[in-house]
Amino acid sequence: QVTLRESGPALVKPTQTLTLTCTFSGFSLRTSGMCVSWIRQPPGKALEWLARIDWDDDKYYSTSLTTRLTISKDTSKNQVVLTMTNMNPVDTATYYCARTSFDSWSFDLWGRGTQVTVSS
Amino acid sequence: SYELTQPPSVSVSPGQTARITCSGDALTKQYVHWYQQKPGQAPALMIYQDSERPSGIPERFSGSSSGTTVTLTISGVQAEDEADYYCQSSDSSSNYYVVFGGGTKLTVL
């Protein structure tokens, strides 16, 4: 059974750096073709893709957020970590991680999400 | 920036057919995937690559493509199908990788 679970702080202050961890099971990022993405959703708004990391350590970032994002993986722990710098209240959202299809970029399995509020 | 356009809302009675469209200039060259999101839950993949249905997704969900418009069709709509639906496309060869539509609220009357 494949599961993903996001974890991180529920509250961050403006200008701080957010670090989120996706811990997964049922697949391995050592396996060719496996990828994990981060996606967020502000309250009442649409989904926004943020970043993706592949089994071979290739990384992709949203063009609009590329200067603020870093994605990395720890295959021994089955974890993917996303950092986002210079947090702003507009970054308040639910952040999801999702297993991602290598070629079609579809997100076939999602975590339950973690709510992050940016406020002083 | 590239955009996918969905109607904000669609309403149907139980047992009827709901059609949700997703339009974008590049959709003649790219696949679209569809997600269902119920309140307080994570999205779930319902259709991938325009018309493929993941295992476990009911047959009443189907997808089709024509030109720059892709359509999610839900036949014999049930009350449990009431949710937000998002289309998504991607193009790794361009300066964007992933884009989501704005979402469509399906209301079952």
Side-chain angles (χ1 to χ4, degrees), chain B residues 29-48:
Chain B
K29 300 176 293 183
Q30 299 162 1
Y31 284 126
V32 165
H33 319 296
W34 289 96
Y35 302 88
Q36 177 194 69
Q37 186 179 34
K38 296 182 178 179
Q41 296 184 17
L45 180 66
M46 306 303 285
I47 295 289
Y48 65 99

Side-chain angles (χ1 to χ4, degrees), chain A residues 14 27 44 62 64 85 94 96-97 99 109:
Chain A
F27 68 97
S62 165
S64 61
T85 61
T94 298
Y96 298 98
C97 62
R99 192 175 70 171
L109 289 162

Side-chain angles (χ1 to χ4, degrees), chain B residues 58-70:
Chain B
E59 291 185 6
R60 65 180 183 275
F61 289 88
S62 63
S64 61
S65 176
S66 178
T68 58
T69 299
V70 178

Side-chain angles (χ1 to χ4, degrees), chain B residues 13-93:
Chain B
S13 299
Q16 289 189 329
T17 296
R19 294 180 179 85
I20 300 172
T21 58
C22 175
S23 300
D25 289 343
L27 292 186
T28 55
K29 300 176 293 183
Q30 299 162 1
Y31 284 126
V32 165
H33 319 296
W34 289 96
Y35 302 88
Q36 177 194 69
Q37 186 179 34
K38 296 182 178 179
Q41 296 184 17
L45 180 66
M46 306 303 285
I47 295 289
Y48 65 99
Q49 293 182 202
D50 289 352
S51 59
E52 300 297 318
R53 197 170 46 247
S55 61
I57 302 302
E59 291 185 6
R60 65 180 183 275
F61 289 88
S62 63
S64 61
S65 176
S66 178
T68 58
T69 299
V70 178
T71 302
L72 172 69
T73 300
I74 310 171
S75 305
V77 166
Q78 301 180 6
E80 66 196 51
D81 299 331
E82 184 164 290
D84 293 327
Y85 291 85
Y86 293 92
C87 62
Q88 174 239 324
S89 188
S90 64
D91 185 358
S92 58
S93 64

Side-chain angles (χ1 to χ4, degrees), chain B residues 1-4 95-96 99:
Chain B
S1 63
Y2 183 61
E3 292 184 352
L4 296 177
N95 62 353
Y96 81 92
V99 63

